[in-house]
Amino acid sequence: MRLNDCHNFHDFRKLAQQRLPGPIFNYIDGAADDEVTLRQNTQSFERCDLVPNVLRGVEAIDMSVTVMGQKLAMPVYCSPTALQRLFHHAGERAVAAAAAKYGTMFGVSSLGTVSLEELRKAHATPQVYQFYFHRDRGLNRAMMQRAKQAGVNVMMLTVDSITGGNRERDLRTGFSIPFRLTLAGMAQFAIKPMWGINYLTHEGFKLPQLDEHVDMSGGAMSIGRYFTEMLDPSMTWDDVAEMVKLWNGQFCLKGIMSVADAKRAVEIGCTGIILSNHGGRQLDGSRAAFDQLAEIVDAVGDRIDVIMDGGIQRGTHVLKALSLGAKAVGVGRFYLYPLAAAGQAGVERALGLMRTEIERDMKLMGCRSIDQLSRENLRFR
């Protein structure tokens, strides 16, 4: 299977599975507990039907949107995700370049493997910094100041990860950073030698956003341990309100799922919220973001930009979310599988296919621009 054989999300996933060692593929692919929420994230779109209009003169399509003050050429952006250079040696560099090619936003994680300064200098497209709230409040302030100095456009605080989810696939393989694998996990690396060759022949793996603050030289720092030991479960709305004031710019909360929390985000001055269950990787059994979208848009959509992520695999999924009132949608696995399969070329192909799908689907819906999408275009079963 080659990159040109990939025409949709499932094709990219298959190619990534062929090329990645099992523990790394399962880190991307897996979710918490029984992975019920992971499946529901996509299935939620299947319970909603599109109702198209015809004869609307759709020769020219404008799919641009403005979200949290950022003008995007398409209503899909690359959500910040951790450890990207484990999946492909180019990592965030490939994702940022592909996002820039398509004029959309990309995110850099606190657990990113390329520095936010390097990416900010390389690309003029909007950049998000995804931030975790650490026990060390001085560390929090220092990381925010660093992002401000780098010219980051949007600060994104993840609020659904005060402790790590129960990701049993990682427990079975022993996945951690640095690697401390089970025998079965090591065997998976042995049968995918090209990944190892690329890993060893490129620059060393690091976490530049945290290198000055986290000493991993003494042993393995599992992702679960990072969440459990370094992040602060005592974080409150007062702490976040202080961060919003300190940042004094575009600030969004990622992981909002209730109307009450959405209203609090408005009250403390956030400019955006992202409905998200962390791709099903935290609380299994939590509601799909798409199923919760209308309720939250109705409550706060006129006062704050409402975005969602989780389960997006098709252009029609994007249009359904926008029709309910989302200003844009984020994708994670959608670009991580292509990244793992083929680096920048893979991410560009995935974003290009998505852009083509959205344009075609808007024409078939009878919509020339995003603002012509509405709930009149939808029916729920």
Side-chain angles (χ1 to χ4, degrees):
M1 189 176 186
R2 299 170 302 174
L3 182 59
N4 287 342
D5 298 321
C6 295
H7 302 287
N8 60 38
F9 175 90
H10 302 287
D11 293 339
F12 287 116
R13 179 182 178 275
K14 182 178 179 181
L15 186 56
Q17 188 172 21
Q18 290 177 2
R19 296 188 175 181
L20 283 178
I24 296 179
F25 174 79
N26 280 299
Y27 172 73
I28 301 174
D29 199 57
D33 293 347
D34 298 311
E35 304 186 351
V36 173
T37 295
L38 170 64
R39 295 188 293 273
Q40 284 297 320
N41 280 347
T42 297
Q43 290 171 3
S44 62
F45 292 99
E46 298 171 6
R47 297 189 285 270
C48 175
D49 297 325
L50 292 166
V51 181
N53 294 310
V54 297
L55 303 176
R56 299 301 173 97
V58 291
E59 67 278 8
I61 298 296
D62 178 10
M63 66 179 73
S64 65
V65 295
T66 299
V67 57
M68 292 182 291
Q70 315 307 309
K71 182 69 177 289
L72 311 183
M74 59 189 291
V76 179
Y77 69 93
C78 296
S79 295
T81 58
L83 310 179
Q84 291 181 18
R85 290 193 59 245
L86 274 186
F87 317 140
H88 186 277
H89 59 82
E92 288 88 348
R93 296 181 182 109
V95 177
K101 177 177 178 178
Y102 285 95
T104 194
M105 189 163 64
F106 69 95
V108 183
S109 171
S110 295
L111 289 167
T113 53
V114 177
S115 76
L116 57 93
E117 290 90 351
E118 176 186 334
L119 297 170
R120 182 69 285 173
K121 290 175 183 176
H123 304 288
T125 43
Q127 180 173 323
V128 169
Y129 181 41
Q130 179 270 328
F131 185 80
Y132 290 114
F133 194 84
H134 300 87
R135 295 176 189 269
D136 182 342
R137 306 303 172 89
L139 169 58
N140 292 332
R141 289 190 294 270
M143 294 178 74
M144 289 185 67
Q145 183 60 31
R146 176 178 173 180
K148 180 70 75 172
Q149 290 174 347
V152 166
N153 304 94
V154 179
M155 178 60 68
M156 177 187 289
L157 176 66
T158 296
V159 292
D160 63 357
S161 303
I162 55 173
T163 189
N166 179 37
R167 303 175 193 177
E168 294 177 354
R169 294 204 213 184
D170 295 344
L171 296 175
R172 293 190 182 95
T173 63
F175 180 88
S176 62
I177 305 298
F179 293 125
R180 181 170 289 178
L181 298 166
T182 63
L183 287 174
M186 288 187 282
Q188 287 293 312
F189 279 80
I191 63 176
K192 301 287 176 65
M194 280 307 300
W195 180 92
I197 292 170
N198 280 323
Y199 182 79
L200 293 172
T201 56
H202 290 84
E203 66 185 279
F205 182 86
K206 60 182 179 179
L207 301 174
Q209 274 67 256
L210 292 174
D211 274 352
E212 296 178 8
H213 311 284
V214 180
D215 181 10
M216 296 194 301
S217 60
M221 167 65 85
S222 71
I223 301 305
R225 272 188 57 211
Y226 171 81
F227 285 116
T228 303
E229 297 178 13
M230 290 199 65
L231 303 192
D232 190 354
S234 71
M235 176 175 59
T236 67
W237 283 101
D238 289 339
D239 294 317
V240 179
E242 185 178 337
M243 292 180 67
V244 172
K245 186 176 180 180
L246 180 64
W247 180 252
N248 191 30
Q250 298 289 341
F251 196 108
C252 69
L253 300 184
K254 181 177 183 290
I256 296 295
M257 288 294 288
S258 73
V259 168
D261 286 347
K263 290 179 177 178
R264 289 295 298 273
V266 173
E267 290 169 2
I268 66 171
C270 293
T271 56
I273 53 173
I274 301 174
L275 278 62
S276 173
N277 54 43
H278 218 97
R281 296 162 76 82
Q282 288 296 97
L283 178 65
D284 197 29
S286 61
R287 189 162 167 82
F290 180 70
D291 286 337
Q292 195 69 351
L293 180 58
E295 184 178 336
I296 290 181
V297 168
D298 288 345
V300 300
D302 60 338
R303 292 177 287 164
I304 196 170
D305 283 352
V306 179
I307 310 158
M308 68 146 286
D309 68 29
I312 301 288
Q313 297 179 5
R314 286 288 190 184
T316 49
H317 296 164
V318 177
L319 297 190
K320 289 175 182 181
L322 297 177
S323 296
L324 278 184
K327 292 293 180 68
V329 302
V331 291
R333 291 181 181 91
F334 181 86
Y335 75 80
L336 288 178
Y337 293 131
L339 172 66
Q344 181 177 334
V347 182
E348 287 184 1
R349 181 168 175 83
L351 291 178
L353 288 170
M354 175 60 83
R355 190 185 191 287
T356 298
E357 283 193 20
I358 293 172
E359 181 175 14
R360 178 175 59 242
D361 295 339
M362 286 181 67
K363 288 181 177 180
L364 292 172
M365 286 294 295
C367 295
R368 296 184 299 275
S369 60
I370 298 299
D371 60 9
Q372 292 183 342
L373 292 166
S374 73
R375 296 185 192 181
E376 293 182 2
N377 301 127
L378 304 179
R379 296 293 184 275
F380 286 84
R381 299 178 187 176

